[in-house]
Amino acid sequence: MTRESLPGRRRCWVDVTENLDLGTLDAGATPGFRGEEASAREQTEVLRSQLVALQARLYAESRQRLLVVLQAMDTGGKDGVIRKVFSGVNPQGVRVARFERPSVSELARDYLWRVHGQVPAAGEIAIFNRSHYEDVLVVRVNSLVPRAQWKRRYRHIRGFERMLVDEGTTVVKIFLHIDRDEQARRLQARLDDPDRHWKFDPHDIEQRRHWDAYMAAFREAILQTHRPQAPWFIIPANHKWYRDWAVMNILVRTVARMNPQFPAATIDPASVRID
Ligand code: ATP
Ligand code: MG
């Protein structure tokens, strides 16, 4: 792949700084992109073919691993990103892990137990649809464990991710940021369309009442665990076309930087006779 064909160097996310204020951050912004929606969609397709080519190498190389953590408020677009960004990629090398309410057996163990079992193997991309971050988000907002207990978890999470990176896993964490009005529109759309009723969860309405508490929890989780080796990318996600373009951009950059290579032949092809 030539240098020219790699995605631009422009930042297509919101930088994580102490001033981060998710309550006022513009979820309709399109950092790093200027132009029409149609052109974003075209670029996304070009990026997709790059991701497909890079992932083929990653899988063949079977040495490096990529973990993509996806977090968002309900209706924030995690499912859409997984469907759109990873379509076309060889399913053999990609695995999605969903983290729902912990089962009795999961609750009987520490909160990282179920997570560690889902990390990517050599050559694999694992996508976490929700993750260990729920243990400092939904758990914090709903007081599912005492404050002193979830407070300690930032330290565990930093250590856990540090260990994964030290042992050869690349870690990127993506927060899809929608605003409260956009969530209202998306929930209403689920109510209005019979084919989407199955996606409507009354629990979302309840959690929505705690919007500000969630924003504070996301802010602290991001600030506490944003590290050069395991960075957070905050993507304004009200516009789905921008969201897909930005996530695709980040993934192509990330895998390009991993620079996976097809393994060298272990035989001299000219010396092999197939009869
Ligand atoms: P969709 O957006 O399509 O509805 P979803 O990610 O909300 O998908 P669901 O199965 O509806 O998936 O919900 C999963 C639920 O599990 C979320 O409400 C989430 O907060 C909750 N959950 C995940 N991890 C934990 C955890 N560790 N403790 C408590 N609740 C959790
Ligand atoms: Mg849900």
Side-chain angles (χ1 to χ4, degrees):
M1 181 176 299
T2 63
R3 204 154 182 84
E4 291 69 40
S5 63
L6 288 173
R9 294 188 163 274
R10 267 176 295 153
R11 215 167 36 93
C12 54
W13 58 88
V14 175
D15 271 337
V16 178
T17 66
E18 270 301 320
N19 304 328
L20 180 66
D21 179 357
L22 295 172
T24 57
L25 186 69
D26 182 5
T30 60
F33 183 79
R34 241 175 289 133
E36 300 294 315
E37 173 178 340
S39 126
R41 289 188 189 280
E42 273 168 36
Q43 289 181 29
T44 301
E45 291 315 307
V46 174
L47 289 163
R48 182 192 314 285
S49 59
Q50 295 178 354
L51 184 65
V52 167
L54 285 162
Q55 188 265 342
R57 286 168 180 264
L58 191 74
Y59 181 69
E61 183 189 63
S62 193
R63 192 173 61 82
Q64 307 184 73
R65 325 165 180 120
L66 174 61
L67 170 60
V68 182
V69 170
L70 272 184
Q71 286 287 163
M73 289 296 284
D74 294 304
T75 76
K78 298 185 295 344
D79 289 351
V81 159
I82 293 168
R83 197 174 54 244
K84 291 192 217 149
V85 174
F86 289 96
S87 79
V89 173
N90 178 4
Q92 289 229 78
V94 178
R95 194 162 40 79
V96 180
R98 284 182 77 90
F99 293 95
E100 302 184 359
R101 283 174 206 101
S103 66
V104 171
S105 139
E106 288 167 346
L107 280 174
R109 294 169 167 91
D110 69 84
Y111 67 99
L112 288 176
W113 178 76
R114 66 171 182 165
V115 177
H116 203 176
Q118 298 286 353
V119 298
E124 231 181 15
I125 300 178
I127 304 143
F128 281 7
N129 183 346
R130 300 188 189 267
S131 66
H132 42 299
Y133 283 95
E134 292 297 327
D135 294 284
V136 289
L137 294 166
V138 65
V139 165
R140 164 179 168 163
V141 171
N142 294 277
S143 306
L144 302 181
V145 304
R147 179 184 171 85
Q149 193 176 343
W150 59 253
K151 273 272 178 195
R152 291 194 293 261
R153 291 179 172 177
Y154 300 121
R155 183 161 45 85
H156 307 155
I157 291 173
R158 285 194 297 268
F160 174 60
E161 293 177 355
R162 169 96 251 174
M163 182 279 292
L164 293 177
V165 171
D166 286 350
E167 294 292 320
T169 300
T170 298
V171 178
V172 295
K173 302 174 291 192
I174 296 176
F175 172 56
L176 306 173
H177 173 60
I178 57 165
D179 59 35
R180 202 165 181 272
D181 290 343
E182 179 64 16
Q183 190 192 52
R185 282 190 286 275
R186 293 184 184 186
L187 287 170
Q188 191 59 50
R190 288 180 181 184
L191 288 173
D192 293 344
D193 178 357
D195 288 352
R196 280 198 271 176
H197 284 173
W198 67 275
K199 286 206 100 180
F200 185 81
D201 182 353
H203 175 74
D204 296 354
I205 299 287
E206 204 186 290
Q207 294 301 301
R208 173 179 165 75
R209 300 205 178 100
H210 307 300
W211 188 274
D212 293 344
Y214 267 109
M215 291 304 110
F218 268 112
R219 176 181 190 279
E220 189 171 6
I222 290 170
L223 287 177
Q224 290 272 1
T225 63
H226 179 65
R227 289 290 180 276
Q229 70 278 4
W232 273 104
F233 296 94
I234 301 172
I235 310 287
N238 274 13
H239 297 297
K240 294 177 181 175
W241 54 266
Y242 172 77
R243 170 198 79 193
D244 295 343
W245 175 85
V247 172
M248 193 70 107
N249 233 293
I250 289 165
L251 291 176
V252 171
R253 283 178 210 227
T254 302
V255 188
R257 206 171 299 138
M258 292 167 80
N259 196 22
Q261 301 295 324
F262 287 119
T266 51
I267 41 86
D268 170 12
S271 71
V272 178
R273 248 195 54 222
I274 300 171
D275 42 29

